Amino acid sequence: MSQQYTKEINAQIVISLLKAHGVKKVITSPGATNVALVGSIQNDPFFTVYSSVDERSAAYMACGLAEESGEPVAISCTGATASRNYIPGLTEAYYRKLPVLAITSTQATARIGHHIAQVIDRSSIQNDIVNLSVDLPIVKDDEDKWECEIKVNKAMLELTRFGGGPVHINLPTTYKLPFESKALPAYRVIKRFTMGDELPVLKGKVAVFVGSHKKWTEAETLAVDNFCAINNAVVFCDHTSNYKGKYRVLLALLATQESINKTNYIPDTLIHIGEVSGDYFTLSVAGREVWRVSEDGELRDTFRKLTNVFQMKESCFFRAYSNGDLGNDSYYLMCRDGLDEIRSKIPELPFSNIWVASQLAQRLPENSIIHLGILNSLRSWNFYEIPKTVTSASNVGGFGIDGSLSSILGASLSEPEKPYFCVLGDLAFFYDMNAIGNRHVGNNLRIMLINNGKGTEFRQYNSGAAYFGEKADDFIAAAEHYGNKSPTLVKQYVENLGFEYMTASTKTSFSSMSEKFLTSETTKRPLVFEVFTDSDLESKALEIIRNITDDKTQTIKSTAKKMLGTKGIGALKKVLKK
């Protein structure tokens, strides 16, 4: 019989990645839900397939085969209680660190709990059965496919991680027929490397993307700088990255441009370090493939192009790829010059958070610290560079508005002689306002409250909520709470707590107050500077700064995409090819 593969994409992904990760030996038990898997591999010459009616025996057979061969072994069973019989053998594998991959097939998990025959709940796994358990989706779209690829790669890699051990994949089926005689599609393979492994070759144009990052040591910065010098690389940052080396490019202003061809700025390989980033615009300038470097060795597929994971210290990775002659800086210079050109064309902006950032960013006192609220404040300040000695942070980990004031308060206690600045919106301020009543507040604390009377993020021209116009204020943007831009509410509150209060509602009044707010000297009292802006002007400022360039080709493409949608563009391309 000629080779035939199932049409079920989740099973295809499992089979493809079994091959890619070198899992050749499979012990199968009879059943209906695992037909998609077993029917596809039984005539595939890559696999050596064995049969065992008793699942308990199959799991123990896998233990013996894995130990003797030194290779991972997969076992496949159907629904009902079949998987329960794997438990003794998997327990054995767990304590002996044997790479046994249990693939338990099932009907759709949505059927659990509805008295449907042969459907049992596998969502809870004993602690000493497997090192990792994943539930695969039934693949209906690209989102499901991405989830499936990541989970299966993660499962395969876990078989040999930290000394190895058993892993579980729960594989739902739709019983789709017929099987087709065709080559198995190629699905994305992700590999993990540790120190001592033979590392892959780094090719093409290289960029380092830094998410939020702990404070850098001089040695860590030097390791990145040497890497960039040898590999003609650039470092894409935002204000939570805190890398201040030679190859830093604060790319958000360039990346946000709606009418610019970004092709030349996109790297072939993007080295991803750090944690969560709030710089949504630079996230769009991803590499053609992404290498993740982190000591945790986890699969963090932020850009959905992950191919390699390096479980090691960042400095070790950069040193490992710095054994060569110095290259040139052409890629870095191209990114820097492109950014500088756009900066030179920034027009006059309306009174807004973005305008405020343009006035203050470069004037922050040396060696000061600034915390930026998410999302509007962080985005606004990412368009402008700050002094090299200034460190910055934002609560992008959980990405909530609930702790900005508490975070800057805690940070300010560390070095009472340094000025600590915080810029945040009104909803974030009122959410956490109790923090500034803390008796440990020092005179080094400077808070700027951008008060537009609502969650202006949901009134921006490019927000999905813009569809509702002013009606978005009712419940989405939460307008008119907290005094509805009262001129006295914050003033009386903070003054009663011992703060000095300042306010501005125009560019002129802001400019007259900003010098005092930015002073490097310790003030007699902590400061609160309330800046009243209008959400319509906030939106206008964002629209202006995102449209500084005027590449007519890109404008036409952008307009066509908005009118036709992604599917419409795809259909049009097919027509034009005919």
Side-chain angles (χ1 to χ4, degrees):
M1 184 178 183
S2 61
Q3 178 58 49
Q4 295 180 317
Y5 291 105
T6 179
K7 290 182 178 180
E8 295 186 24
I9 296 175
N10 55 2
Q12 288 181 2
I13 291 171
V14 170
I15 297 164
S16 175
L17 295 181
L18 282 170
K19 290 185 173 187
H21 290 277
V23 182
K24 299 178 179 180
K25 296 176 171 60
V26 185
I27 301 173
T28 70
S29 298
T33 58
N34 58 340
V35 166
L37 177 68
V38 177
S40 297
I41 68 173
Q42 63 183 2
N43 293 313
D44 188 323
F46 176 85
F47 296 100
T48 302
V49 185
Y50 306 91
S51 178
S52 174
V53 175
D54 184 332
E55 289 85 9
R56 182 178 58 171
S57 179
Y60 278 113
M61 286 173 62
C63 288
L65 184 56
E67 181 180 41
E68 193 65 25
S69 67
E71 299 177 17
V73 177
I75 52 180
S76 167
C77 74
T78 188
T81 58
S83 61
R84 299 288 195 256
N85 295 316
Y86 278 163
I87 291 175
L90 290 177
T91 304
E92 182 71 16
Y94 180 89
Y95 285 107
R96 290 170 60 195
K97 296 187 175 180
L98 299 173
V100 176
L101 175 62
I103 305 172
T104 61
S105 294
T106 181
Q107 298 178 49
T109 54
R111 299 181 181 183
I112 294 170
H114 295 288
H115 288 181
I116 296 173
Q118 301 188 49
V119 175
I120 63 173
D121 188 351
R122 297 170 178 157
S123 59
S124 295
I125 305 293
Q126 292 98 318
N127 291 335
D128 57 354
I129 299 299
V130 292
N131 290 337
L132 175 71
S133 176
V134 297
D135 275 290
L136 303 187
I138 293 171
V139 178
K140 301 177 289 297
D141 53 30
D142 286 343
E143 189 80 9
D144 292 335
K145 178 186 171 186
W146 170 72
E147 179 186 354
C148 199
E149 285 180 328
I150 292 299
K151 285 183 173 179
V152 177
N153 271 294
K154 190 173 183 179
M156 301 293 179
L157 292 172
E158 203 70 20
L159 286 167
T160 53
R161 192 181 188 198
F162 300 134
V167 172
H168 170 233
I169 293 176
N170 201 40
L171 174 62
T173 184
T174 57
Y175 303 103
K176 186 177 289 186
L177 293 173
F179 281 37
E180 295 178 342
S181 299
K182 63 177 183 180
L184 196 65
Y187 292 99
R188 180 157 53 114
V189 181
I190 301 173
K191 298 181 180 180
R192 181 184 284 119
F193 299 90
T194 59
M195 290 304 298
D197 292 339
E198 183 177 346
L199 302 181
V201 176
L202 186 61
K203 298 178 180 178
K205 199 158 49 176
V206 179
V208 180
F209 180 94
V210 190
S212 57
H213 200 283
K214 295 177 181 178
K215 292 181 179 179
W216 292 73
T217 66
E218 188 175 337
E220 289 168 341
T221 301
L222 182 60
V224 173
D225 286 353
N226 289 340
F227 169 86
C228 291
I230 290 170
N231 293 286
N232 187 20
V234 63
V235 183
F236 295 153
C237 296
D238 80 336
H239 285 319
T240 66
S241 304
N242 277 311
Y243 163 79
K244 298 296 178 71
K246 176 182 176 181
Y247 295 90
R248 169 187 171 95
V249 174
L250 194 73
L251 198 69
L253 182 62
L254 186 154
T256 194
Q257 297 305 307
E258 293 186 333
S259 301
I260 188 174
N261 186 346
K262 303 183 183 78
T263 303
N264 290 336
Y265 301 103
I266 296 174
D268 296 300
T269 304
L270 187 74
I271 311 300
H272 179 204
I273 65 174
E275 311 309 328
V276 179
S277 173
D279 182 4
Y280 292 1
F281 300 127
T282 301
L283 286 170
S284 68
V285 189
R288 293 175 175 86
E289 68 169 312
V290 174
W291 293 9
R292 170 69 179 166
V293 182
S294 175
E295 288 182 83
D296 65 22
E298 295 292 340
L299 276 61
R300 315 285 189 193
D301 195 22
T302 307
F303 303 88
R304 303 199 176 192
K305 296 179 180 180
L306 185 65
T307 57
N308 294 319
V309 175
F310 298 81
Q311 186 173 317
M312 58 187 71
K313 289 181 178 293
E314 294 166 3
S315 55
C316 292
F317 171 86
F318 290 118
R319 283 195 289 267
Y321 283 94
S322 299
N323 299 318
D325 298 327
L326 291 178
N328 61 68
D329 293 341
S330 59
Y331 184 28
Y332 161 71
L333 293 173
M334 178 186 69
C335 294
R336 187 200 66 184
D337 293 347
L339 177 60
D340 287 346
E341 182 181 359
I342 295 170
R343 278 183 178 152
S344 69
K345 297 178 181 178
I346 297 177
E348 182 66 21
L349 297 168
F351 189 57
S352 60
N353 205 337
I354 297 176
W355 182 86
V356 167
S358 74
Q359 301 301 300
L360 300 188
Q362 278 293 315
R363 296 164 57 201
L364 289 170
E366 294 293 326
N367 299 305
S368 62
I369 295 89
I370 183 167
H371 281 217
L372 300 165
I374 59 99
L375 181 59
N376 190 37
S377 297
L378 176 60
R379 176 180 54 228
S380 299
W381 283 69
N382 272 336
F383 295 140
Y384 301 97
E385 193 56 91
I386 59 178
K388 189 173 183 178
T389 62
V390 174
T391 57
S392 47
S394 180
N395 285 356
V396 294
F399 230 95
I401 66 170
D402 45 341
S404 298
L405 290 177
S406 296
S407 293
I408 190 68
L409 167 61
S412 69
L413 301 177
S414 177
E415 297 188 64
E417 302 306 313
K418 280 188 177 182
Y420 282 76
F421 296 89
C422 179
V423 181
L424 76 170
D426 50 288
L427 295 192
F429 177 89
F430 287 111
Y431 207 118
D432 197 23
M433 64 189 294
N434 65 299
I436 58 175
N438 189 291
R439 63 186 173 89
H440 296 291
V441 169
N443 294 342
N444 59 337
L445 188 59
R446 321 278 176 82
I447 298 167
M448 177 170 287
L449 162 58
I450 307 293
N451 191 345
N452 44 63
K454 64 190 69 174
T456 199
E457 184 63 28
F458 309 106
R459 289 300 308 278
Q460 303 285 18
Y461 79 99
N462 59 339
S463 166
Y467 170 84
F468 298 97
E470 291 187 3
K471 290 296 292 181
D473 281 353
D474 293 348
F475 301 104
I476 300 172
E480 300 181 3
H481 290 302
Y482 309 118
N484 193 24
K485 298 173 69 172
S486 164
T488 59
L489 178 61
V490 173
K491 179 180 188 300
Q492 292 174 356
Y493 176 69
V494 301
E495 286 182 342
N496 284 333
L497 293 176
F499 283 77
E500 181 175 348
Y501 176 84
M502 302 183 294
T503 187
S505 55
T506 65
K507 290 182 178 180
T508 302
S509 59
F510 179 89
S511 297
S512 67
M513 293 286 185
S514 62
E515 198 68 37
K516 183 174 184 179
F517 183 74
L518 292 173
T519 180
S520 59
E521 298 178 3
T522 301
T523 55
K524 293 181 179 180
R525 293 183 289 169
L527 304 177
V528 169
F529 189 1
E530 185 172 21
V531 181
F532 290 99
T533 68
D534 180 83
S535 67
D536 290 337
L537 294 182
E538 292 279 3
S539 178
K540 189 62 179 176
L542 180 62
E543 187 173 12
I544 290 171
I545 207 162
R546 295 196 67 200
N547 290 277
I548 296 171
T549 58
D550 188 21
D551 184 330
K552 296 204 168 31
T553 302
Q554 293 302 119
T555 303
I556 292 170
K557 287 181 180 179
S558 178
T559 303
K561 192 169 184 179
K562 288 178 182 177
M563 292 174 63
L564 298 173
T566 304
K567 290 184 179 179
I569 291 290
L572 182 61
K573 286 181 178 179
K574 289 181 181 178
V575 171
L576 293 175
K577 285 180 180 178
K578 292 181 179 179

